[in-house]
Amino acid sequence: MDIKDKTLAAMGRGRTEWAQKSMPVLRSIQKRFEQEKPFAGIRMAACLHVTTETGVLMQTLTAGGAEVKLCASNPLSTQDDVAATLAVDHGIDVFAIKGEDKDTFYRHIHAILDVKPHITMDDGADLVSTLHTDRKELLSEVKGGTEETTTGVIRLQSMADRGVLKYPIIAVNDADTKHMFDNRYGTGQSTIDGIIRATNRLLAGSVFVVCGYGWCGRGVAMRASGMGARVVVTEVDPIRALEAVMDGYQVLPINKAAEVGDFFCTVTGDIHVITLEHMKRMKDGAIICNSGHFNVECDIEGLEAVAVKSTQLRESLDEYQLKDGRKIYILGEGRLVNLAAAEGHPSGVIDLSFSNQALGAEYLIKSPLQLTPTVHKVPEGIDRMIASLKLNSLNISIDVLTEAQEHYLRAWETGT
Ligand code: ADE
């Protein structure tokens, strides 16, 4: 175990209990797992953001009989009180400290791999990539893994395409009940939350530039707009750009957007989105953050290299002064601002994502099919069941197709 401070457990206990109240679907899965023990004898290595919601997932997996080791999927996202309650109250071997350096981050990944996992649970694919490079000797025992994010699924698909992925992965991110909700409403709300906690600035009346109009970008744009900001979107994909236009946003190339933005938020999953050249075109006082998985989207090293002075003014807010006197502000060191400066997505939406995680892991163990070592979808039945359970928990009923309607949908003969 490697955590900051065991005495934080009481605070983590209360906060995790609070999160659990908004996670009825995962709680119902936990109840079933307690009875059925689908993970009896199963060892798991989980590399996830160590948050209250992850705490509830860990309790669910251990209720199912799993032996779990947990580490952080990002150096800045760990909630140290949650790490403490998981270690102290639930006997989980946790390796996560908020602010850990890169060496510690990878030392922790290696430490959880010592469990000799049957199942890996990843958020960004650093665990799977370490396993396939430095710890190959463990691969023969791995039955499968799950992946939480768009970025991770892209990395794993690239491993599969090159024939180097050695075991099946369930792409949790690609379930409809994951990306349509977590990426959109989760990232939307928590990113704005992170920006506000870091800056306490008024968004109303500002120009808010969203780089990337995938599910996360759509969510951030929608919520920034809801706060009264004028949203500008930058894109490379013509279809997404057109969607942004028809959603009512201005679309500009980043070169032009750089000149008008007050806030910038990258959510592309790619490198070199906001470069030093773009920063040089920005207004004095521009605020830059990232809500993509890795801290590669904005060239902060480049900014550091040319800045004449840098000062931390608030928690998660650094000021960089350029030679001409202008100042640029970076939130959360360019790491995902929703977890570095806030608490990540709210429990109510992570309920859906982590239900996919728990059921995806169960599927890997129980599937009668021998899954090939590539990236697999969450079975549609699981996806739809999670949506139904969530609706139930919200006390919302929906209609069902009549027999005649079912028949009509299957028939091709009937036209006008
Ligand atoms: N990713 C984004 N928000 C999260 C949260 N609250 N818990 C775990 N992973 C997350």
Side-chain angles (χ1 to χ4, degrees), residues 226-241:
M227 294 293 287
R230 274 184 294 135
V231 172
V232 173
V233 170
T234 73
E235 245 307 337
V236 292
D237 179 315
I239 297 173
R240 288 181 173 183

Side-chain angles (χ1 to χ4, degrees), residues 48-54 79 123 148 182 190 338-339 343-347 350 354:
L48 300 169
H49 299 295
V50 181
T51 63
T52 51
E53 293 74 25
T54 298
Q79 297 170 5
D123 185 320
E148 172 80 2
D182 172 307
S190 60
N338 60 336
L339 281 142
E343 293 172 59
H345 304 352
S347 331
I350 292 283
F354 283 179

Side-chain angles (χ1 to χ4, degrees), residues 104 228 257 276 287 367:
T104 311
L276 186 57
I287 294 169
S367 171

Side-chain angles (χ1 to χ4, degrees), residues 33 37 39 57-68 90-92:
F33 281 5
K37 302 282 178 211
F39 301 126
L57 176 62
M58 293 300 109
Q59 290 172 35
T60 305
L61 300 175
T62 52
E67 179 192 346
V68 190
H90 301 282
I92 292 171

Side-chain angles (χ1 to χ4, degrees), residues 274-282 288 298-311 319-330:
I274 295 185
T275 64
L276 186 57
E277 286 317 304
H278 302 140
M279 293 180 198
K280 285 182 178 166
R281 300 171 84 102
M282 287 180 187
I288 303 174
C298 312
D299 185 9
I300 295 171
E301 277 176 22
L303 180 61
E304 272 164 5
V306 300
V308 292
K309 196 170 150 212
S310 69
T311 322
E319 177 184 82
Y320 291 88
Q321 187 175 335
L322 302 178
K323 232 194 293 177
D324 63 6
R326 272 176 313 134
K327 289 169 180 159
I328 302 285
Y329 296 90
I330 301 288

